[in-house]
């Protein structure tokens, strides 16, 4: 596999560590450009759709979006909702939208919930909205105050850059250590890991009660996305000369 590297004319890498690995095996035709995913999520955000029903559902309250959620994440979040029904609005965008999964979410909730496909803006009682389609999540984040990303209690977290690019704190489970952006944002204060219901509760309550903490975390996420954009242009400038 190392010999195969030398069949490439040039290799673009994301960070110093990757560059050092290539140099150690004698491959010198490499350069650090960063991660093109930052450009992609920024582009998606710039072209995000307006979703009047989501805006109507949120109303004048704060909104928590649980993106790409799995059962272990949902169990913790739903317990918090049931114990704190009036603190804010909630939206689930499950990773799997089969009927069994959607029904399981609904059965666990002790507050009024509605699926997006049947929601109407005259419905003022709903506290939890469940997205039952594919493709909306990246646009939904624009309406959120806080977010969580699923997968952290399984094989690994999903894309945390999508919510971060909208400038909001991101929460996720413990299986995130292979994801540089998760480690970076935790270190900077824009993201947090929760391993239990108690940890999730403390994090959410802190953000809801401390507007300065919420704003600082949001600013960290926005700045992190902004400072890491540009990899696509660097790659293109090299291969299109």
């Amino acid at each position: 596999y190392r010999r195969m590297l030398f069949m490439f004319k040039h290799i673009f890498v994301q960070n110093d560590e990757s560059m050092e690995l290539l140099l150690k095996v004698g491959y010198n035709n490499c350069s650090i450009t960063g991660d093109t995913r930052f450009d992609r999520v920024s582009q998606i955000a710039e072209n995000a759709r307006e979703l009047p029903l989501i805006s109507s559902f949120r109303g004048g309250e704060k909104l928590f979006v649980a993106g790409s959620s799995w059962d272990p994440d949902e169990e913790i979040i739903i317990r918090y909702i049931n114990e704190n029904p009036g603190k804010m609005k909630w939206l689930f965008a499950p990773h799997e939208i089969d009927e069994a999964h959607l029904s399981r979410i609904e059965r666990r909730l002790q507050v009024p919930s509605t699926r997006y496909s049947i929601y109407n803006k005259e419905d003022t009682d709903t506290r939890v909205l469940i997205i039952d389609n594919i493709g909306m999540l990246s646009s939904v984040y624009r309406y959120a105050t806080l977010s969580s990303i699923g997968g952290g209690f399984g094989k690994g977290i999903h894309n945390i850059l999508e919510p971060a690019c909208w400038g909001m704190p991101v929460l996720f489970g413990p299986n995130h250590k292979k994801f540089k952006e998760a480690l970076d944002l935790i270190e900077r204060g824009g993201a947090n890991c929760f391993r239990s219901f108690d940890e999730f509760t403390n994090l959410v309550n802190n953000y809801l009660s401390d507007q300065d903490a919420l704003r600082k975390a949001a600013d960290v996420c926005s700045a992190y996305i902004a400072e890491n954009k540009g990899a696509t242009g660097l790659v293109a400038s090299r291969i299109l000369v």
Side-chain angles (χ1 to χ4, degrees):
Y1 284 106
R2 287 185 179 183
R3 290 197 299 272
M4 290 172 62
L5 294 173
F6 292 87
M7 299 179 69
F8 293 94
K9 184 177 180 180
H10 195 89
I11 296 178
F12 302 99
V13 297
Q14 296 181 9
N15 51 47
D16 293 332
E17 292 81 4
S18 298
M19 173 81 89
E20 290 174 6
L21 288 173
L22 289 174
L23 295 176
K24 283 180 180 178
V25 299
Y27 189 94
N28 299 310
N29 296 326
C30 50
S31 57
I32 300 172
T33 57
D35 189 341
T36 58
R37 290 181 304 146
F38 288 90
D39 300 318
R40 180 58 180 156
V41 296
S42 298
Q43 182 186 46
I44 290 172
E46 290 170 1
N47 296 295
R49 294 177 288 159
E50 291 190 10
L51 301 170
L53 282 181
I54 303 297
S55 179
S56 175
F57 166 70
R58 180 188 62 181
E61 299 188 50
K62 290 182 172 63
L63 174 66
F64 187 107
V65 171
S68 301
S69 61
W70 288 81
D71 190 73
D73 316 295
E74 292 160 0
E75 185 175 355
I76 290 173
I77 297 169
I78 289 173
R79 179 181 169 187
Y80 182 92
I81 296 171
N82 290 338
E83 294 185 10
N84 303 272
K87 283 204 169 182
M88 58 182 162
K89 295 288 186 71
W90 300 79
L91 185 147
F92 284 97
H95 179 69
E96 297 177 344
I97 58 169
D98 58 278
E99 180 59 32
H101 192 175
L102 297 177
S103 296
R104 185 162 62 249
I105 294 174
E106 292 168 329
R107 287 195 305 270
R108 286 175 172 171
L109 288 164
Q110 298 171 11
V111 299
S113 65
T114 305
R115 298 187 189 187
Y116 179 82
S117 60
I118 59 174
Y119 177 74
N120 66 79
K121 60 183 180 181
E122 282 74 36
D123 180 357
T124 58
D125 294 328
T126 296
R127 302 299 303 171
V128 181
L129 192 63
I130 303 169
I131 301 299
D132 52 353
N133 63 63
I134 297 294
M136 280 182 57
L137 181 56
S138 59
S139 296
V140 165
Y141 284 126
R142 71 186 301 166
Y143 300 97
T145 306
L146 288 166
S147 65
S148 67
I149 290 296
F153 291 91
K155 294 182 179 180
I157 57 173
H158 293 274
N159 190 353
I160 69 170
L161 297 179
E162 283 190 348
C165 74
W166 288 103
M168 76 187 76
V170 188
L171 312 180
F172 40 78
N175 193 354
H176 63 268
K177 294 181 176 59
K178 292 183 179 180
F179 300 85
K180 182 180 184 298
E181 61 271 20
L183 298 175
D184 286 346
L185 284 175
I186 287 175
E187 181 180 0
R188 298 182 184 202
N192 301 94
C193 168
F194 64 95
R195 301 169 186 81
S196 66
F197 170 76
D198 289 339
E199 288 186 350
F200 180 83
T201 296
N202 290 335
L203 289 169
V204 173
N205 287 348
N206 179 63
Y207 281 128
L208 291 179
S209 63
D210 189 340
Q211 290 301 302
D212 286 339
L214 179 63
R215 185 178 62 256
K216 287 177 181 177
D219 289 345
V220 164
C221 289
S222 295
Y224 181 70
I225 297 295
E227 71 184 51
N228 282 285
K229 289 194 300 184
T232 304
L234 292 173
V235 173
S237 66
R238 181 67 181 257
I239 64 177
L240 296 178
V241 292

mmCIF file of all heavy atoms in Angstrom, residues 12-28:
data_model
loop_
_atom_site.group_PDB
_atom_site.id
_atom_site.type_symbol
_atom_site.label_atom_id
_atom_site.label_comp_id
_atom_site.label_asym_id
_atom_site.label_seq_id
_atom_site.Cartn_x
_atom_site.Cartn_y
_atom_site.Cartn_z
ATOM 1 N N PHE A 12 -2.977 15.781 -1.711
ATOM 2 C CA PHE A 12 -3.404 16.878 -0.840
ATOM 3 C C PHE A 12 -3.867 16.287 0.484
ATOM 4 O O PHE A 12 -4.627 15.318 0.501
ATOM 5 C CB PHE A 12 -4.551 17.649 -1.488
ATOM 6 C CG PHE A 12 -4.216 18.211 -2.835
ATOM 7 C CD1 PHE A 12 -4.600 17.558 -3.997
ATOM 8 C CD2 PHE A 12 -3.517 19.399 -2.952
ATOM 9 C CE1 PHE A 12 -4.303 18.069 -5.244
ATOM 10 C CE2 PHE A 12 -3.208 19.933 -4.195
ATOM 11 C CZ PHE A 12 -3.604 19.262 -5.352
ATOM 12 N N VAL A 13 -3.426 16.878 1.579
ATOM 13 C CA VAL A 13 -3.800 16.373 2.902
ATOM 14 C C VAL A 13 -4.447 17.485 3.722
ATOM 15 O O VAL A 13 -4.343 18.669 3.399
ATOM 16 C CB VAL A 13 -2.585 15.784 3.655
ATOM 17 C CG1 VAL A 13 -2.018 14.588 2.906
ATOM 18 C CG2 VAL A 13 -1.511 16.847 3.863
ATOM 19 N N GLN A 14 -5.102 17.073 4.814
ATOM 20 C CA GLN A 14 -5.872 18.019 5.614
ATOM 21 C C GLN A 14 -5.062 18.690 6.715
ATOM 22 O O GLN A 14 -5.392 19.797 7.131
ATOM 23 C CB GLN A 14 -7.078 17.313 6.242
ATOM 24 C CG GLN A 14 -8.084 16.804 5.235
ATOM 25 C CD GLN A 14 -9.262 16.135 5.892
ATOM 26 O OE1 GLN A 14 -9.421 16.195 7.111
ATOM 27 N NE2 GLN A 14 -10.085 15.475 5.105
ATOM 28 N N ASN A 15 -3.995 18.011 7.197
ATOM 29 C CA ASN A 15 -3.323 18.544 8.391
ATOM 30 C C ASN A 15 -1.857 18.127 8.438
ATOM 31 O O ASN A 15 -1.385 17.325 7.616
ATOM 32 C CB ASN A 15 -4.056 18.068 9.656
ATOM 33 C CG ASN A 15 -4.276 16.562 9.651
ATOM 34 O OD1 ASN A 15 -3.371 15.794 9.362
ATOM 35 N ND2 ASN A 15 -5.495 16.148 9.951
ATOM 36 N N ASP A 16 -1.161 18.673 9.425
ATOM 37 C CA ASP A 16 0.272 18.394 9.588
ATOM 38 C C ASP A 16 0.547 16.919 9.837
ATOM 39 O O ASP A 16 1.544 16.377 9.345
ATOM 40 C CB ASP A 16 0.833 19.216 10.757
ATOM 41 C CG ASP A 16 0.832 20.708 10.483
ATOM 42 O OD1 ASP A 16 0.922 21.084 9.301
ATOM 43 O OD2 ASP A 16 0.739 21.495 11.439
ATOM 44 N N GLU A 17 -0.314 16.274 10.620
ATOM 45 C CA GLU A 17 -0.090 14.860 10.951
ATOM 46 C C GLU A 17 -0.076 13.986 9.699
ATOM 47 O O GLU A 17 0.771 13.097 9.558
ATOM 48 C CB GLU A 17 -1.184 14.371 11.910
ATOM 49 C CG GLU A 17 -1.135 14.986 13.308
ATOM 50 C CD GLU A 17 -1.766 16.353 13.378
ATOM 51 O OE1 GLU A 17 -2.334 16.821 12.356
ATOM 52 O OE2 GLU A 17 -1.704 16.982 14.456
ATOM 53 N N SER A 18 -1.005 14.252 8.784
ATOM 54 C CA SER A 18 -1.052 13.470 7.542
ATOM 55 C C SER A 18 0.182 13.733 6.692
ATOM 56 O O SER A 18 0.742 12.811 6.076
ATOM 57 C CB SER A 18 -2.317 13.822 6.763
ATOM 58 O OG SER A 18 -3.465 13.498 7.507
ATOM 59 N N MET A 19 0.608 14.974 6.649
ATOM 60 C CA MET A 19 1.816 15.321 5.909
ATOM 61 C C MET A 19 3.030 14.586 6.474
ATOM 62 O O MET A 19 3.850 14.032 5.723
ATOM 63 C CB MET A 19 2.046 16.837 5.987
ATOM 64 C CG MET A 19 3.367 17.301 5.399
ATOM 65 S SD MET A 19 3.325 17.465 3.619
ATOM 66 C CE MET A 19 2.765 19.157 3.481
ATOM 67 N N GLU A 20 3.156 14.540 7.780
ATOM 68 C CA GLU A 20 4.289 13.870 8.411
ATOM 69 C C GLU A 20 4.310 12.382 8.092
ATOM 70 O O GLU A 20 5.378 11.787 7.887
ATOM 71 C CB GLU A 20 4.242 14.090 9.919
ATOM 72 C CG GLU A 20 4.552 15.528 10.338
ATOM 73 C CD GLU A 20 4.349 15.764 11.820
ATOM 74 O OE1 GLU A 20 4.070 14.770 12.530
ATOM 75 O OE2 GLU A 20 4.472 16.916 12.260
ATOM 76 N N LEU A 21 3.130 11.761 8.046
ATOM 77 C CA LEU A 21 3.057 10.331 7.713
ATOM 78 C C LEU A 21 3.589 10.066 6.304
ATOM 79 O O LEU A 21 4.310 9.083 6.077
ATOM 80 C CB LEU A 21 1.616 9.837 7.837
ATOM 81 C CG LEU A 21 1.064 9.693 9.250
ATOM 82 C CD1 LEU A 21 -0.431 9.369 9.200
ATOM 83 C CD2 LEU A 21 1.807 8.610 10.018
ATOM 84 N N LEU A 22 3.235 10.921 5.363
ATOM 85 C CA LEU A 22 3.719 10.750 3.994
ATOM 86 C C LEU A 22 5.226 10.982 3.906
ATOM 87 O O LEU A 22 5.944 10.228 3.246
ATOM 88 C CB LEU A 22 2.991 11.712 3.051
ATOM 89 C CG LEU A 22 1.521 11.392 2.785
ATOM 90 C CD1 LEU A 22 0.871 12.498 1.954
ATOM 91 C CD2 LEU A 22 1.363 10.056 2.077
ATOM 92 N N LEU A 23 5.697 12.008 4.588
ATOM 93 C CA LEU A 23 7.130 12.310 4.547
ATOM 94 C C LEU A 23 7.957 11.180 5.150
ATOM 95 O O LEU A 23 9.069 10.889 4.688
ATOM 96 C CB LEU A 23 7.406 13.628 5.278
ATOM 97 C CG LEU A 23 6.802 14.891 4.650
ATOM 98 C CD1 LEU A 23 7.076 16.103 5.533
ATOM 99 C CD2 LEU A 23 7.339 15.121 3.242
ATOM 100 N N LYS A 24 7.416 10.533 6.166
ATOM 101 C CA LYS A 24 8.142 9.446 6.826
ATOM 102 C C LYS A 24 8.382 8.258 5.898
ATOM 103 O O LYS A 24 9.349 7.506 6.087
ATOM 104 C CB LYS A 24 7.390 8.989 8.069
ATOM 105 C CG LYS A 24 7.543 9.917 9.268
ATOM 106 C CD LYS A 24 6.776 9.388 10.463
ATOM 107 C CE LYS A 24 6.931 10.319 11.660
ATOM 108 N NZ LYS A 24 6.145 9.832 12.834
ATOM 109 N N VAL A 25 7.489 8.061 4.921
ATOM 110 C CA VAL A 25 7.674 6.935 3.996
ATOM 111 C C VAL A 25 8.345 7.392 2.702
ATOM 112 O O VAL A 25 8.434 6.633 1.736
ATOM 113 C CB VAL A 25 6.336 6.228 3.685
ATOM 114 C CG1 VAL A 25 5.734 5.663 4.947
ATOM 115 C CG2 VAL A 25 5.363 7.163 2.974
ATOM 116 N N GLY A 26 8.817 8.652 2.703
ATOM 117 C CA GLY A 26 9.580 9.134 1.567
ATOM 118 C C GLY A 26 8.768 9.773 0.464
ATOM 119 O O GLY A 26 9.293 10.060 -0.626
ATOM 120 N N TYR A 27 7.484 10.026 0.712
ATOM 121 C CA TYR A 27 6.648 10.678 -0.307
ATOM 122 C C TYR A 27 6.643 12.184 -0.049
ATOM 123 O O TYR A 27 6.182 12.634 0.996
ATOM 124 C CB TYR A 27 5.208 10.142 -0.277
ATOM 125 C CG TYR A 27 4.383 10.641 -1.444
ATOM 126 C CD1 TYR A 27 4.277 9.897 -2.602
ATOM 127 C CD2 TYR A 27 3.741 11.870 -1.383
ATOM 128 C CE1 TYR A 27 3.539 10.349 -3.688
ATOM 129 C CE2 TYR A 27 3.012 12.351 -2.455
ATOM 130 C CZ TYR A 27 2.913 11.580 -3.607
ATOM 131 O OH TYR A 27 2.196 12.047 -4.678
ATOM 132 N N ASN A 28 7.170 12.952 -1.025
ATOM 133 C CA ASN A 28 7.365 14.381 -0.816
ATOM 134 C C ASN A 28 6.434 15.272 -1.639
ATOM 135 O O ASN A 28 6.369 16.479 -1.388
ATOM 136 C CB ASN A 28 8.819 14.766 -1.135
ATOM 137 C CG ASN A 28 9.802 14.034 -0.244
ATOM 138 O OD1 ASN A 28 9.651 14.019 0.980
ATOM 139 N ND2 ASN A 28 10.790 13.390 -0.842
#
